[in-house]
Amino acid sequence: MTGVEDAVAALRAGELLILPTETVYGLAADAGNAGAVAKIFEAKGRPRFNPLISHVADAVAAERIAVFDDAARRLAAAFWPGPLTIVAPCRDTGAVSDLARAGLDSIAVRVPGHAKARAVLDAFGGPVVAPSANRSGRPSPTTFADAMEETGGFASAALDGGPCAVGVESTVVSVLDGRVSLLRPGSVTREEIEALVGPLDASGEGHRSPGRLTRHYAPVSPVRLEADGGREGEIYLGFGPGAGAERWSLSVSGDLREAAANLFRLLREADREHPVGIAVALVPLKGLGEAINDRLRRAAGFVG
């Protein structure tokens, strides 16, 4: 396990870092170092067209690399530090490599809320890309052990930040051409965003957001959705009182935040049992349920 000083040294040397955030563990690199960013794509087996999120220390640092309008500033003031990513026009193409932006004229930027991530960003002094520390398409790691198992062998430093509090990747919102669009649902909900900036535009460009592949977050075992129980050989992930075994429950009480925090961990644990399949109970679409269902549809191979 690494301290903050060694973590920053690894970034400055162009090496990779296992970085905890409140959403999921990330595989981090200096955003401006194209060679370091390429190591992330190699480690994850990630398609080169999928853009990465640049993590920065605060909103001032975000506006050094992105052009914010009034809506972006309202969103940043309300939800940063925290699990919201803002996609805006890129201001400084030199600070974040073309590879990290997937060649786009926009940039995805976030100020994370995790104390260790913030300590690293404060000390490093520049943007850090940190996609989830899983192999591409696999469930994102929400514990240090899972992150190390997935891509720890590619990192020269690793910070243990404990279990991730949120458990699903950040909400992604674009603020391009005067329109606010939801590109990826997360723990900052559609309703919370609309309460701040009004109705969202439905024509958002999904290619500007990470995590939008048709099959993504997927275990090896096939995933069956909206199940009312497990078939022979399946592991059943329940939701709510009396829905399956407590060990495999996303949330016994039917709490959506608990379900989000448990989702990727339970998919991984179930997959290690080598079942015929993983059946998942119906999770309501309201609030955070939109993000949970988005991840489940992609784990099952459906477009969200």
Side-chain angles (χ1 to χ4, degrees):
M1 191 170 63
T2 304
V4 169
E5 185 175 332
D6 290 336
V8 171
L11 292 174
R12 289 180 175 154
E15 300 297 332
L16 302 186
L17 163 70
I18 297 291
L19 181 71
T21 79
E22 71 276 25
T23 56
V24 300
Y25 273 80
L27 185 62
D30 176 358
N33 184 332
V37 174
K39 292 179 182 178
I40 291 179
F41 286 102
E42 180 181 9
K44 288 175 62 67
R46 186 184 181 106
R48 295 294 175 100
F49 55 78
N50 208 353
L52 306 180
I53 296 169
S54 292
H55 298 73
V56 294
D58 52 37
V60 173
E63 291 211 50
R64 293 194 191 107
I65 60 175
V67 180
F68 277 15
D69 59 13
D70 288 342
R73 293 190 182 101
R74 288 200 299 274
L75 291 167
F79 300 116
W80 282 355
L84 178 78
T85 294
I86 298 173
V87 175
C90 184
R91 183 188 301 276
D92 184 357
T93 56
V96 176
S97 69
D98 185 73
L99 180 59
R101 291 181 290 103
L104 299 170
D105 58 1
S106 57
I107 187 169
V109 63
R110 178 164 94 91
V111 178
H114 195 288
K116 285 193 175 181
R118 292 179 60 75
V120 169
L121 292 168
D122 284 337
F124 182 66
V128 171
V129 289
S132 53
N134 56 311
R135 298 186 301 278
S136 189
R138 292 271 295 155
S140 299
T142 56
T143 68
F144 181 69
D146 283 343
M148 291 301 292
E149 180 184 7
E150 281 281 317
T151 55
F154 295 91
S156 65
L159 284 171
D160 186 349
C164 298
V166 174
V168 293
E169 298 81 3
S170 62
T171 303
V172 180
V173 174
S174 74
V175 290
L176 300 169
D177 301 320
R179 298 174 294 155
V180 182
S181 304
L182 179 63
L183 303 187
R184 181 176 74 182
S187 65
V188 176
T189 66
R190 178 187 301 271
E191 293 81 2
E192 290 174 315
I193 295 165
E194 289 188 328
L196 194 67
V197 299
L200 297 176
D201 186 87
S203 58
E205 299 173 88
H207 69 285
R208 296 185 184 272
S209 172
R212 308 315 295 160
L213 299 179
T214 302
R215 184 164 172 81
H216 204 70
Y217 317 115
V220 174
S221 307
V223 175
R224 183 168 65 88
L225 304 182
E226 299 184 10
D228 55 9
R231 297 170 182 167
E232 185 176 355
E234 288 184 330
I235 289 177
Y236 177 58
L237 303 187
F239 178 81
E246 185 171 342
R247 177 194 172 187
W248 296 113
S249 178
L250 293 167
S251 173
V252 172
S253 65
D255 182 276
L256 289 171
R257 290 199 175 275
E258 183 181 18
N262 287 333
L263 176 62
F264 289 136
R265 176 181 62 81
L266 287 177
L267 283 174
R268 286 177 170 279
E269 289 182 4
D271 209 30
R272 290 189 184 108
E273 301 287 327
H274 306 292
V276 169
I278 301 171
V280 187
L282 176 68
V283 177
L285 270 169
K286 64 181 181 181
L288 184 52
E290 182 178 9
I292 295 170
N293 279 282
D294 172 80
R295 304 317 191 270
L296 285 171
R297 284 193 297 269
R298 293 177 190 281
F302 302 132
V303 176

